[in-house]
Amino acid sequence: MMRKKAGTGMLHWIFPAMIFLAALEMFLSGRDLSQQYLQLLQTGESTRHPLMTIAQRSVSVLLLVASVEQIANHFALRRPTPSATLLIAFVLYWVCTVASPALFGANPLIGHEYMYSLFVGVAACLVGPAEWQRILRSARDALFLLMLAGVLVAPFKPGLVMDVYYSQGLIPGLPRFGGLTAHPVTQGMLAQVALLVLWCMPYQRRWLQRAAWVLGLAVLYLAQSKTAWASFIACALLLLAVRGGPRLWRRMSDPRQGGFGVLVLLGLVVGVAGLATWVLVGDAFGRASELADTREAAQLMSLTGRDRIWVIAVEEWQRNPVFGYGLTLFDSAYRAAINLPHATHAHNQFLDDLARSGAIGASALVIYAAVLFGLALRGARASGGLSLALFLAVALRSVSEVPLSLKGYGTELVTHLLLITTLAAASAQRRTEPRPQAMRYGVA
């Protein structure tokens, strides 16, 4: 029996498949994005298009086949596990946040849809550098095609992809672009991830690379998600530091280029002096006090009402401290009972795991996050900074969303899996790099 070579599997197809399924569901939903809040008031389950049943079953089969093939191929080739720590931490996190509340939560519920994330996640933990390159290209192309499809649909069905009555943006009257995603915030997050991947995996054709940057930045701006804007700026600065920091430091420490180091330090001094002048002379604290009294500041302090949802999540954990409420928390019936139709989850990764899976799930989240951060830091050089950028994007989004949720598969799982594959590939790459020999006194 012929063995398959590494990097020839089907795992890279799961990213376009999940993105296509989410886009198809939005396209067939016939929604009006400007009336999304009123649609959430409906307590009953919405009717799905018959085509979605066929499409979802097909994608589910593809996910299982691609994952099983990846796992079987890994053992058939007797390849070393890129990071046993990552694999163990992921399985532990799935067991504590999915299996445990499904079996032992206050409202237990067992379903086959909870198994897909386990198989796909384990397969992602076994990805090598060659497979990672194909995965990045596949995810990059799918994300930009998703944005392009939303833009092309806009002239024909504007209400489907834009909130034309949005009035809280920087430019009054500018519609908010949600594209073929569930929400403009989701579109902003996916645009951010697409740009980060494009940065590290650029197109070879220059015109295509420039067009992709224009499309991605335009969609990121029109999504009008301030969280996505701030996150992209932070991730971009981190990528610049990782990819250009060593070269910058070498230039600053080179005695032959002393003028460059003096110029950089002078710029820092001017920046700090300018900030101090604004604080002391420009009455920065007085302006901040005036801003705190505005309606926008009140929404910011409450994170647009998310503080109420957080209180409910904590109360559910107090009633079920060990195994939590269960995976059905914040379903349509629960949202109707608490009169918060927009509360599809706890809007915070830690509180969501705490309420759904209790102290066991929250503890597993802390361990899993620590492992992800450690591996992202160690794999920063091997991944060109993408490991740290993706981790930072997920960490920032975890403040108000649930990007690490493993209940099912969808657009949120795309970023999570990209992070896992990047960490696995970086760990595998580090295994092949020659380790520096230890220096001993008197021996070179």
Side-chain angles (χ1 to χ4, degrees):
M1 181 177 180
M2 180 179 291
R3 292 178 178 177
K4 295 182 179 180
K5 296 181 180 180
T8 61
M10 299 171 55
L11 191 65
H12 64 286
W13 286 110
I14 67 173
F15 295 90
M18 290 188 293
I19 293 172
F20 168 77
L21 184 66
L24 181 64
E25 184 174 13
M26 292 300 105
F27 183 78
L28 297 176
S29 65
R31 68 174 180 181
D32 185 352
L33 198 56
S34 60
Q35 303 295 324
Q36 190 174 35
Y37 181 80
L38 297 178
Q39 293 173 358
L40 286 173
L41 291 176
Q42 301 175 1
T43 56
E45 297 292 339
S46 58
T47 304
R48 301 184 70 190
H49 195 280
L51 184 60
M52 281 305 303
T53 302
I54 302 175
Q56 186 164 17
R57 290 176 179 175
S58 301
V59 172
S60 298
V61 172
L62 174 62
L63 261 62
L64 287 177
V65 171
S67 302
V68 172
E69 181 198 40
Q70 173 73 12
I71 297 171
N73 193 29
H74 175 81
F75 289 104
L77 293 174
R78 298 180 180 179
R79 295 160 55 189
T81 301
S83 174
T85 303
L86 176 63
L87 179 60
I88 294 172
F90 174 81
V91 173
L92 176 66
Y93 182 63
W94 182 89
V95 169
C96 294
T97 60
V98 178
S100 175
L103 294 172
F104 308 112
N107 298 273
L109 178 66
I110 302 176
H112 66 89
E113 63 271 16
Y114 302 142
M115 296 296 298
Y116 298 115
S117 60
L118 174 63
F119 282 96
V120 175
V122 170
C125 291
L126 304 178
V127 165
E131 297 161 311
W132 177 61
Q133 300 284 337
R134 299 183 69 189
I135 286 173
L136 284 188
R137 294 190 186 97
S138 181
R140 176 199 63 190
D141 296 345
L143 288 171
F144 278 100
L145 285 175
L146 173 68
M147 291 186 283
L148 181 61
V151 172
L152 294 177
V153 169
F156 306 99
K157 295 184 177 181
L160 180 68
V161 297
M162 293 189 297
D163 183 358
V164 296
Y165 299 112
Y166 185 69
S167 59
Q168 299 179 9
L170 298 179
I171 302 178
L174 180 66
R176 191 181 194 188
F177 185 76
L180 296 177
T181 64
H183 194 273
V185 174
T186 305
Q187 180 64 91
M189 180 270 295
L190 292 177
Q192 169 199 353
V193 173
L195 291 171
L196 294 176
V197 175
L198 179 66
W199 194 332
C200 298
M201 182 62 65
Y203 288 105
Q204 294 183 354
R205 297 182 179 181
R206 186 170 299 179
W207 69 267
L208 186 58
Q209 177 74 1
R210 292 175 178 175
W213 271 105
V214 171
L215 175 62
L217 290 173
V219 170
L220 178 63
Y221 176 74
L222 292 175
Q224 302 192 61
S225 171
K226 300 176 182 63
T227 302
W229 292 349
S231 179
F232 177 71
I233 292 174
C235 293
L237 291 176
L238 184 60
L239 270 181
L240 284 174
V242 174
R243 298 170 74 91
R247 182 173 55 187
L248 178 64
W249 177 255
R250 285 195 299 269
R251 290 189 63 184
M252 290 182 60
S253 58
D254 190 349
R256 295 171 298 180
Q257 301 185 20
F260 179 77
V262 172
L263 183 63
V264 173
L265 293 176
L266 182 62
L268 292 175
V269 170
V270 171
V272 173
L275 179 61
T277 302
W278 178 67
V279 171
L280 296 175
V281 180
D283 193 21
F285 294 108
R287 293 178 180 269
S289 178
E290 295 177 359
L291 179 63
D293 296 332
T294 63
R295 178 173 173 266
E296 289 77 9
Q299 289 186 344
L300 181 62
M301 292 300 293
S302 66
L303 283 176
T304 61
R306 291 187 176 98
D307 53 345
R308 293 180 57 196
I309 304 175
W310 294 347
V311 170
I312 293 173
V314 172
E315 291 175 350
E316 288 295 348
W317 167 68
Q318 291 174 342
R319 284 191 285 266
N320 308 282
V322 181
F323 295 106
Y325 179 93
L327 298 178
T328 58
L329 183 66
F330 296 116
D331 61 6
S332 57
Y334 186 89
R335 297 198 304 269
I338 63 176
N339 195 27
L340 288 175
H342 59 285
T344 54
H345 48 72
H347 285 284
N348 178 273
Q349 186 67 63
F350 181 80
L351 293 179
D352 192 82
D353 284 340
L354 188 68
R356 292 182 193 271
S357 50
I360 292 179
S363 301
L365 172 64
V366 173
I367 297 173
Y368 186 51
V371 170
L372 292 180
F373 175 67
L375 292 177
L377 195 61
R378 295 180 62 185
R381 184 170 63 89
S383 64
L386 186 60
S387 61
L388 275 176
L390 289 176
F391 175 82
L392 180 60
V394 170
L396 293 176
R397 186 164 172 78
S398 297
V399 176
S400 58
E401 303 294 334
V402 287
L404 296 178
S405 176
L406 297 176
K407 285 199 309 172
Y409 60 85
T411 52
E412 288 284 7
L413 190 60
V414 170
T415 308
H416 189 178
L417 290 179
L418 279 176
L419 174 60
I420 294 176
T421 55
T422 301
L423 298 181
S427 298
Q429 180 68 28
R430 292 178 67 254
R431 285 175 174 270
T432 62
E433 294 177 351
R435 296 184 178 181
Q437 297 182 355
M439 300 294 293
R440 291 181 297 171
Y441 179 75
V443 179

